[in-house]
Amino acid sequence: MSLNQNDNPYRNWHYEEDPDGIVWLSIETADQPTNVLTHDTLDELEDLLQRLAATPPRGLVIGSARDNGFIAGADVKAFTRLRSEDEALVLIQRGQAVMDAIEALPCPTVALINGYCLGGGLELALACDYRIALDDPKTRLGLPEVKLGIHPGFGGSVRSIQLLGVLRAMDLMLSGRSIDAKQARRLGLLDYVVPARQMRRAAHDTVLARPAKARRKWIHGLMERKPLRPLIARLLRRQVAAKAPPAHYPAPHALIDIWEHHGAATAPLFREEARSVARLITGDTAQNLIRVFQLQTRLKSLGDRKAFQPRHVHVIGGGVMGGDIATWCALQGLRVTVQDPRPEALAQTLKRAQQLYTRRFRAYPLLGVAAGDRLIPDPDGHGLKHADVVIEAIFEDLDAKQALYREIEPRLKPEALLATNTSSIPLERLGEALADRSRLVGLHFFNPVSRMALLEIVRGTDTSDSSMERAMAFARHIDKLPLPVKSSPGFLVNRILMPYLLEAVVLYEEGVPKEIIDQAARDFGMPMGPIELADTVGLDVCQHVGDILARELNYEVPAALTTIVKRGRIGIKSGSGFYDYRKGKRVKSKPPVFEGSIQEVQDRLILRYLNEAVACLREGVVEDADLVDAGMVFGTGFAPFRGGPMRYQQQYATALGKRLREFSATHGARFQPDAGWAS
Ligand code: NAI
């Protein structure tokens, strides 16, 4: 094949032929910041492969022209434009055909992977004879399609099972988790893991040497036998059932069904894989999960990293939140000083940080050491004057916070951003202590900081645009999803969550077993029930936030919550709350007897949630309905397959509104439909 880079007609692929006759294709998806397999990219690749098949080179290496990664997957935007199952099938079969064309080339083929290699990207790599990846923690491989309500469709389910055996391949596909290069090498997904300077050489030598290709082990072949498949399928179904009930998340179950019927026998499995994805992708679950993915992309786009380049963060208050915020910021590459007068708080912070870094950087321990070096205990606050961002996370007390602001303001760098992690004090009140109120924003982190993706960015009346812009950029620098919210009681997430939690306590007071209340919420699709959640957050915290919101928004905190806190049962951290715990794990109890309607329990919980969501939207706590959904999905795990509370509310507005009115007649004013239902 003769084609010079100079007259390269392709928009998405760089082409190069080296003196040894090896062709190097590097992807750079046009008009996108990350490489994805768009329609155009696949079209061009198909064309390139046809040319290569006509005059085969000595070898083909497919890599990326971008430092930030290989291929992040298929083009999710295209999924939302699909109008029918048939249309979806055509798209998927085309993808399969391109991967088949790579596999069919008579020359050796190598995928040269740096950074993310996910979904369709890994499917492409699996169609190559060899896979070589960069030895770097940023290298991540995975088949996360289940998170979008589908499963691999470009031959990836077949090829991964053929290469790794059903158990390992299914583990990747059913969990959707991504793994680093070293784990991938151990699993057999990669042939070589090499440092940057050897990447090109490794690919080149592999083409020339043509080492024996990785093959699955005999035991994996045995598992494909017909009599064994139903047993393994049952095992797999049991593994996914708890996290992904078939009615809510059909994709993992569809994948297991297909394999059970066909094994990894190539032709029928390819056919069924495509049909199944076409069916799934046009269904409600996938469309809602794709929507959630797009909401995530939208939140990411709200923060422009280039707008602000923070290097040093100073955290004041090294308690539960401050300690974890400092730990997290250092993990993300920032230099962090953490100030607290209590040495034991600083010692605790360092201990928890060490645990997190060891876990996170198991395969790259030196990076864990480096993160530890960036986290500096600073009891006297020397870091304050160097900081680009100062985060205050001391006790929730207006006077204490104001006194602190008065003391620190003269020592801040002129351009430093001052942020508070307050969960309930209006920014306007806090700002009274400042000469320059425009620099104060709320950065409302959620507990546990390392696991919660959302960060509410609170705008007070005096907060300047530039402070908001910098706060949102900062969120992206520390890999959080920024959600701009108005400074109003409870902001968005706690405000919507609280009536739902309190309704759970009312139900409990009425005698509904706590297990039933939790089950009703989980049946709806919540990751955990409200009673479990309250125990996890801490009942003292719930009561505190509940009291404030009840006062501001005119509702009541049920007596059972106050009583249980008074008895010292404040949740998991005290060993008991509504449930009992031993070593942080819930003590199992007998399944309760309940003769009432679990549907009614669920409706009451969910309707209070939705009613508050509608109120927040009407009041403009966030800008639009999509941001309500994004906040509640990423801040509380609201049933993602339903697309978010507002999406659900809008989809079933008439029926839900009717039920709400019924409840307001039977249970009183707390179910009074918010004025927003009328719009
Ligand atoms: P905490 O009580 O665990 O920690 C507060 C820390 O601040 C203590 O270690 C204390 O020694 C230190 N401190 C007090 N005054 C100080 C001062 N002048 N200078 C330096 N350090 C000082 O409290 P927690 O739970 O970490 O809360 C902190 C803030 O975060 C509060 O505003 C709270 O509302 C907010 N928040 C708490 C959440 C939670 O789940 N606990 C969630 C989100 C926000």
Side-chain angles (χ1 to χ4, degrees), residues 315-325 338-346 349 352 379 392-397 400-401 403-404 407 420-425 443-449 491 494 536-538 541 544-545 573:
V315 180
I316 310 183
V320 174
M321 293 304 290
D324 282 2
I325 293 167
V338 52
Q339 176 183 353
D340 198 299
R342 292 188 305 124
E344 63 276 23
L346 295 176
T349 297
R352 288 209 307 271
E392 170 273 304
I394 68 166
F395 306 128
E396 190 71 339
D397 180 286
K401 288 188 197 262
L404 178 74
E407 184 206 325
T420 172
N421 187 43
T422 182
S423 42
S424 61
I425 307 176
L443 285 181
H444 188 233
F445 286 84
F446 295 90
N447 188 8
V449 176
F491 313 129
N494 285 348
T536 309
V537 171
V541 175
H544 178 73
V545 178
K573 59 188 170 189

